[in-house]
mmCIF file of all heavy atoms in Angstrom:
data_model
loop_
_atom_site.group_PDB
_atom_site.id
_atom_site.type_symbol
_atom_site.label_atom_id
_atom_site.label_comp_id
_atom_site.label_asym_id
_atom_site.label_seq_id
_atom_site.Cartn_x
_atom_site.Cartn_y
_atom_site.Cartn_z
ATOM 1 N N VAL A 1 -69.259 -82.165 48.272
ATOM 2 C CA VAL A 1 -69.471 -81.224 47.181
ATOM 3 C C VAL A 1 -70.566 -81.721 46.272
ATOM 4 O O VAL A 1 -71.448 -80.979 45.841
ATOM 5 C CB VAL A 1 -68.157 -81.004 46.388
ATOM 6 C CG1 VAL A 1 -68.439 -80.170 45.149
ATOM 7 C CG2 VAL A 1 -67.122 -80.305 47.255
ATOM 8 N N GLY A 2 -70.548 -83.031 45.981
ATOM 9 C CA GLY A 2 -71.558 -83.598 45.109
ATOM 10 C C GLY A 2 -72.944 -83.468 45.711
ATOM 11 O O GLY A 2 -73.915 -83.191 45.014
ATOM 12 N N ASP A 3 -73.034 -83.634 47.043
ATOM 13 C CA ASP A 3 -74.341 -83.524 47.669
ATOM 14 C C ASP A 3 -74.886 -82.116 47.572
ATOM 15 O O ASP A 3 -76.085 -81.890 47.509
ATOM 16 C CB ASP A 3 -74.260 -83.916 49.159
ATOM 17 C CG ASP A 3 -74.081 -85.401 49.325
ATOM 18 O OD1 ASP A 3 -74.563 -86.135 48.445
ATOM 19 O OD2 ASP A 3 -73.466 -85.806 50.316
ATOM 20 N N ALA A 4 -73.999 -81.129 47.563
ATOM 21 C CA ALA A 4 -74.446 -79.757 47.520
ATOM 22 C C ALA A 4 -74.797 -79.299 46.121
ATOM 23 O O ALA A 4 -75.673 -78.470 45.924
ATOM 24 C CB ALA A 4 -73.367 -78.835 48.107
ATOM 25 N N ASP A 5 -74.109 -79.852 45.120
ATOM 26 C CA ASP A 5 -74.257 -79.301 43.778
ATOM 27 C C ASP A 5 -74.901 -80.225 42.771
ATOM 28 O O ASP A 5 -75.334 -79.796 41.710
ATOM 29 C CB ASP A 5 -72.863 -78.894 43.253
ATOM 30 C CG ASP A 5 -72.234 -77.822 44.114
ATOM 31 O OD1 ASP A 5 -72.975 -77.003 44.679
ATOM 32 O OD2 ASP A 5 -71.001 -77.827 44.214
ATOM 33 N N ASP A 6 -74.939 -81.528 43.054
ATOM 34 C CA ASP A 6 -75.425 -82.484 42.059
ATOM 35 C C ASP A 6 -76.548 -83.320 42.627
ATOM 36 O O ASP A 6 -76.712 -83.448 43.830
ATOM 37 C CB ASP A 6 -74.284 -83.422 41.612
ATOM 38 C CG ASP A 6 -73.143 -82.642 40.996
ATOM 39 O OD1 ASP A 6 -73.438 -81.755 40.174
ATOM 40 O OD2 ASP A 6 -71.985 -82.930 41.341
ATOM 41 N N HIS A 7 -77.315 -83.927 41.718
ATOM 42 C CA HIS A 7 -78.348 -84.876 42.089
ATOM 43 C C HIS A 7 -78.225 -86.083 41.195
ATOM 44 O O HIS A 7 -77.818 -85.986 40.054
ATOM 45 C CB HIS A 7 -79.739 -84.254 41.947
ATOM 46 C CG HIS A 7 -79.910 -82.999 42.745
ATOM 47 N ND1 HIS A 7 -80.014 -83.003 44.114
ATOM 48 C CD2 HIS A 7 -79.978 -81.697 42.360
ATOM 49 C CE1 HIS A 7 -80.146 -81.761 44.540
ATOM 50 N NE2 HIS A 7 -80.131 -80.965 43.494
ATOM 51 N N ASP A 8 -78.600 -87.211 41.711
ATOM 52 C CA ASP A 8 -78.536 -88.443 40.937
ATOM 53 C C ASP A 8 -79.593 -88.416 39.851
ATOM 54 O O ASP A 8 -80.786 -88.427 40.131
ATOM 55 C CB ASP A 8 -78.800 -89.626 41.883
ATOM 56 C CG ASP A 8 -78.680 -90.948 41.177
ATOM 57 O OD1 ASP A 8 -78.433 -90.946 39.960
ATOM 58 O OD2 ASP A 8 -78.841 -91.974 41.860
ATOM 59 N N PRO A 9 -79.190 -88.373 38.589
ATOM 60 C CA PRO A 9 -80.179 -88.309 37.517
ATOM 61 C C PRO A 9 -81.053 -89.544 37.455
ATOM 62 O O PRO A 9 -82.138 -89.520 36.898
ATOM 63 C CB PRO A 9 -79.312 -88.173 36.252
ATOM 64 C CG PRO A 9 -77.988 -88.766 36.620
ATOM 65 C CD PRO A 9 -77.810 -88.439 38.075
ATOM 66 N N GLU A 10 -80.575 -90.660 38.047
ATOM 67 C CA GLU A 10 -81.381 -91.863 38.045
ATOM 68 C C GLU A 10 -82.566 -91.719 38.985
ATOM 69 O O GLU A 10 -83.548 -92.439 38.880
ATOM 70 C CB GLU A 10 -80.515 -93.058 38.490
ATOM 71 C CG GLU A 10 -79.447 -93.456 37.497
ATOM 72 C CD GLU A 10 -80.043 -94.150 36.303
ATOM 73 O OE1 GLU A 10 -81.076 -94.823 36.462
ATOM 74 O OE2 GLU A 10 -79.477 -94.025 35.214
ATOM 75 N N PHE A 11 -82.456 -90.805 39.956
ATOM 76 C CA PHE A 11 -83.490 -90.723 40.976
ATOM 77 C C PHE A 11 -84.508 -89.625 40.694
ATOM 78 O O PHE A 11 -85.666 -89.869 40.494
ATOM 79 C CB PHE A 11 -82.849 -90.490 42.346
ATOM 80 C CG PHE A 11 -83.821 -89.988 43.351
ATOM 81 C CD1 PHE A 11 -84.906 -90.777 43.710
ATOM 82 C CD2 PHE A 11 -83.681 -88.743 43.911
ATOM 83 C CE1 PHE A 11 -85.818 -90.320 44.629
ATOM 84 C CE2 PHE A 11 -84.593 -88.289 44.822
ATOM 85 C CZ PHE A 11 -85.658 -89.070 45.186
ATOM 86 N N MET A 12 -84.090 -88.390 40.664
ATOM 87 C CA MET A 12 -85.036 -87.298 40.540
ATOM 88 C C MET A 12 -84.415 -86.195 39.710
ATOM 89 O O MET A 12 -83.302 -85.759 39.966
ATOM 90 C CB MET A 12 -85.387 -86.774 41.937
ATOM 91 C CG MET A 12 -86.549 -85.826 41.973
ATOM 92 S SD MET A 12 -88.132 -86.654 41.767
ATOM 93 C CE MET A 12 -88.393 -87.269 43.419
ATOM 94 N N SER A 13 -85.099 -85.747 38.685
ATOM 95 C CA SER A 13 -84.535 -84.751 37.780
ATOM 96 C C SER A 13 -84.363 -83.413 38.481
ATOM 97 O O SER A 13 -85.001 -83.119 39.488
ATOM 98 C CB SER A 13 -85.435 -84.571 36.561
ATOM 99 O OG SER A 13 -86.627 -83.927 36.922
ATOM 100 N N GLN A 14 -83.508 -82.573 37.916
ATOM 101 C CA GLN A 14 -83.246 -81.261 38.484
ATOM 102 C C GLN A 14 -84.534 -80.445 38.583
ATOM 103 O O GLN A 14 -84.701 -79.642 39.483
ATOM 104 C CB GLN A 14 -82.228 -80.518 37.601
ATOM 105 C CG GLN A 14 -81.693 -79.230 38.219
ATOM 106 C CD GLN A 14 -80.721 -79.500 39.342
ATOM 107 O OE1 GLN A 14 -80.188 -80.607 39.430
ATOM 108 N NE2 GLN A 14 -80.504 -78.536 40.210
ATOM 109 N N SER A 15 -85.444 -80.669 37.640
ATOM 110 C CA SER A 15 -86.668 -79.881 37.613
ATOM 111 C C SER A 15 -87.486 -80.072 38.885
ATOM 112 O O SER A 15 -88.158 -79.152 39.337
ATOM 113 C CB SER A 15 -87.512 -80.252 36.390
ATOM 114 O OG SER A 15 -87.852 -81.623 36.441
ATOM 115 N N VAL A 16 -87.437 -81.265 39.472
ATOM 116 C CA VAL A 16 -88.209 -81.510 40.680
ATOM 117 C C VAL A 16 -87.632 -80.739 41.851
ATOM 118 O O VAL A 16 -88.343 -80.269 42.722
ATOM 119 C CB VAL A 16 -88.255 -83.022 40.989
ATOM 120 C CG1 VAL A 16 -88.945 -83.281 42.308
ATOM 121 C CG2 VAL A 16 -88.974 -83.738 39.869
ATOM 122 N N TYR A 17 -86.343 -80.579 41.865
ATOM 123 C CA TYR A 17 -85.709 -79.849 42.957
ATOM 124 C C TYR A 17 -85.902 -78.341 42.830
ATOM 125 O O TYR A 17 -86.134 -77.647 43.806
ATOM 126 C CB TYR A 17 -84.209 -80.152 43.006
ATOM 127 C CG TYR A 17 -83.878 -81.496 43.590
ATOM 128 C CD1 TYR A 17 -83.679 -82.593 42.767
ATOM 129 C CD2 TYR A 17 -83.771 -81.680 44.959
ATOM 130 C CE1 TYR A 17 -83.380 -83.828 43.295
ATOM 131 C CE2 TYR A 17 -83.474 -82.913 45.496
ATOM 132 C CZ TYR A 17 -83.280 -83.981 44.666
ATOM 133 O OH TYR A 17 -82.992 -85.199 45.201
ATOM 134 N N ASP A 18 -85.788 -77.829 41.619
ATOM 135 C CA ASP A 18 -85.747 -76.381 41.449
ATOM 136 C C ASP A 18 -87.003 -75.769 40.853
ATOM 137 O O ASP A 18 -87.146 -74.555 40.834
ATOM 138 C CB ASP A 18 -84.558 -76.012 40.545
ATOM 139 C CG ASP A 18 -83.232 -76.393 41.187
ATOM 140 O OD1 ASP A 18 -83.203 -76.484 42.433
ATOM 141 O OD2 ASP A 18 -82.261 -76.610 40.454
ATOM 142 N N LYS A 19 -87.905 -76.599 40.329
ATOM 143 C CA LYS A 19 -89.088 -76.045 39.670
ATOM 144 C C LYS A 19 -90.375 -76.640 40.221
ATOM 145 O O LYS A 19 -91.346 -76.796 39.492
ATOM 146 C CB LYS A 19 -89.011 -76.305 38.158
ATOM 147 C CG LYS A 19 -87.804 -75.653 37.488
ATOM 148 C CD LYS A 19 -87.773 -75.957 36.000
ATOM 149 C CE LYS A 19 -86.561 -75.345 35.329
ATOM 150 N NZ LYS A 19 -86.510 -75.663 33.877
ATOM 151 N N LEU A 20 -90.362 -76.980 41.492
ATOM 152 C CA LEU A 20 -91.561 -77.535 42.079
ATOM 153 C C LEU A 20 -92.644 -76.473 42.163
ATOM 154 O O LEU A 20 -92.353 -75.306 42.399
ATOM 155 C CB LEU A 20 -91.261 -78.061 43.488
ATOM 156 C CG LEU A 20 -90.384 -79.305 43.528
ATOM 157 C CD1 LEU A 20 -89.934 -79.570 44.947
ATOM 158 C CD2 LEU A 20 -91.130 -80.500 42.989
ATOM 159 N N PRO A 21 -93.910 -76.840 41.970
ATOM 160 C CA PRO A 21 -94.992 -75.863 42.097
ATOM 161 C C PRO A 21 -94.961 -75.184 43.446
ATOM 162 O O PRO A 21 -94.842 -75.831 44.485
ATOM 163 C CB PRO A 21 -96.259 -76.731 41.947
ATOM 164 C CG PRO A 21 -95.804 -77.914 41.166
ATOM 165 C CD PRO A 21 -94.389 -78.166 41.586
ATOM 166 N N GLY A 22 -95.029 -73.863 43.417
ATOM 167 C CA GLY A 22 -95.029 -73.109 44.655
ATOM 168 C C GLY A 22 -93.658 -72.731 45.148
ATOM 169 O O GLY A 22 -93.524 -72.011 46.130
ATOM 170 N N SER A 23 -92.579 -73.214 44.489
ATOM 171 C CA SER A 23 -91.234 -72.835 44.923
ATOM 172 C C SER A 23 -90.932 -71.423 44.469
ATOM 173 O O SER A 23 -91.475 -70.921 43.491
ATOM 174 C CB SER A 23 -90.197 -73.802 44.360
ATOM 175 O OG SER A 23 -90.201 -73.755 42.958
ATOM 176 N N THR A 24 -90.068 -70.746 45.175
ATOM 177 C CA THR A 24 -89.725 -69.359 44.869
ATOM 178 C C THR A 24 -88.520 -69.332 43.957
ATOM 179 O O THR A 24 -87.420 -69.695 44.342
ATOM 180 C CB THR A 24 -89.414 -68.589 46.168
ATOM 181 O OG1 THR A 24 -90.532 -68.722 47.039
ATOM 182 C CG2 THR A 24 -89.169 -67.129 45.878
ATOM 183 N N ASN A 25 -88.733 -68.873 42.730
ATOM 184 C CA ASN A 25 -87.655 -68.875 41.753
ATOM 185 C C ASN A 25 -86.582 -67.858 42.074
ATOM 186 O O ASN A 25 -85.456 -67.977 41.651
ATOM 187 C CB ASN A 25 -88.223 -68.591 40.355
ATOM 188 C CG ASN A 25 -89.137 -69.707 39.888
ATOM 189 O OD1 ASN A 25 -88.929 -70.859 40.245
ATOM 190 N ND2 ASN A 25 -90.156 -69.367 39.115
ATOM 191 N N SER A 26 -86.960 -66.814 42.832
ATOM 192 C CA SER A 26 -85.974 -65.768 43.119
ATOM 193 C C SER A 26 -84.952 -66.196 44.149
ATOM 194 O O SER A 26 -83.915 -65.570 44.308
ATOM 195 C CB SER A 26 -86.695 -64.510 43.633
ATOM 196 O OG SER A 26 -87.433 -64.822 44.812
ATOM 197 N N THR A 27 -85.266 -67.269 44.875
ATOM 198 C CA THR A 27 -84.337 -67.770 45.894
ATOM 199 C C THR A 27 -84.046 -69.223 45.614
ATOM 200 O O THR A 27 -84.728 -70.118 46.122
ATOM 201 C CB THR A 27 -84.927 -67.617 47.307
ATOM 202 O OG1 THR A 27 -85.346 -66.268 47.479
ATOM 203 C CG2 THR A 27 -83.890 -67.975 48.367
ATOM 204 N N PRO A 28 -83.046 -69.511 44.783
ATOM 205 C CA PRO A 28 -82.750 -70.903 44.430
ATOM 206 C C PRO A 28 -82.432 -71.729 45.659
ATOM 207 O O PRO A 28 -81.737 -71.277 46.568
ATOM 208 C CB PRO A 28 -81.529 -70.780 43.503
ATOM 209 C CG PRO A 28 -81.540 -69.363 43.032
ATOM 210 C CD PRO A 28 -82.130 -68.567 44.146
ATOM 211 N N ARG A 29 -82.970 -72.945 45.699
ATOM 212 C CA ARG A 29 -82.696 -73.861 46.796
ATOM 213 C C ARG A 29 -81.372 -74.548 46.599
ATOM 214 O O ARG A 29 -81.037 -74.951 45.494
ATOM 215 C CB ARG A 29 -83.783 -74.928 46.861
ATOM 216 C CG ARG A 29 -84.957 -74.568 47.711
ATOM 217 C CD ARG A 29 -85.906 -75.743 47.756
ATOM 218 N NE ARG A 29 -85.233 -76.920 48.230
ATOM 219 C CZ ARG A 29 -85.403 -78.108 47.680
ATOM 220 N NH1 ARG A 29 -86.167 -78.272 46.648
ATOM 221 N NH2 ARG A 29 -84.783 -79.154 48.161
ATOM 222 N N ARG A 30 -80.664 -74.705 47.680
ATOM 223 C CA ARG A 30 -79.449 -75.515 47.656
ATOM 224 C C ARG A 30 -79.592 -76.587 48.718
ATOM 225 O O ARG A 30 -79.673 -76.285 49.905
ATOM 226 C CB ARG A 30 -78.215 -74.674 47.942
ATOM 227 C CG ARG A 30 -77.917 -73.662 46.862
ATOM 228 C CD ARG A 30 -76.558 -73.053 47.082
ATOM 229 N NE ARG A 30 -75.516 -74.053 46.971
ATOM 230 C CZ ARG A 30 -74.246 -73.833 47.308
ATOM 231 N NH1 ARG A 30 -73.890 -72.670 47.776
ATOM 232 N NH2 ARG A 30 -73.351 -74.797 47.175
ATOM 233 N N PRO A 31 -79.660 -77.845 48.319
ATOM 234 C CA PRO A 31 -79.781 -78.922 49.307
ATOM 235 C C PRO A 31 -78.643 -78.870 50.314
ATOM 236 O O PRO A 31 -77.506 -78.551 49.969
ATOM 237 C CB PRO A 31 -79.705 -80.194 48.455
ATOM 238 C CG PRO A 31 -80.118 -79.753 47.090
ATOM 239 C CD PRO A 31 -79.616 -78.341 46.949
#
């Protein structure tokens, strides 16, 4: 569950996962 919903804040902020340049905001990514 943690792998699907959370990220280690020590490693990479949420912004890198969900707000990367060129990512599609209308289709949220789920690792």
Side-chain angles (χ1 to χ4, degrees):
V1 172
D3 287 331
D5 298 329
D6 300 315
H7 303 288
D8 183 358
E10 291 287 329
F11 162 62
M12 191 75 80
S13 70
Q14 190 74 19
S15 60
V16 175
Y17 284 95
D18 297 336
K19 299 179 181 179
L20 290 169
S23 62
T24 305
N25 294 329
S26 59
T27 308
R29 271 184 56 223
R30 293 191 64 190

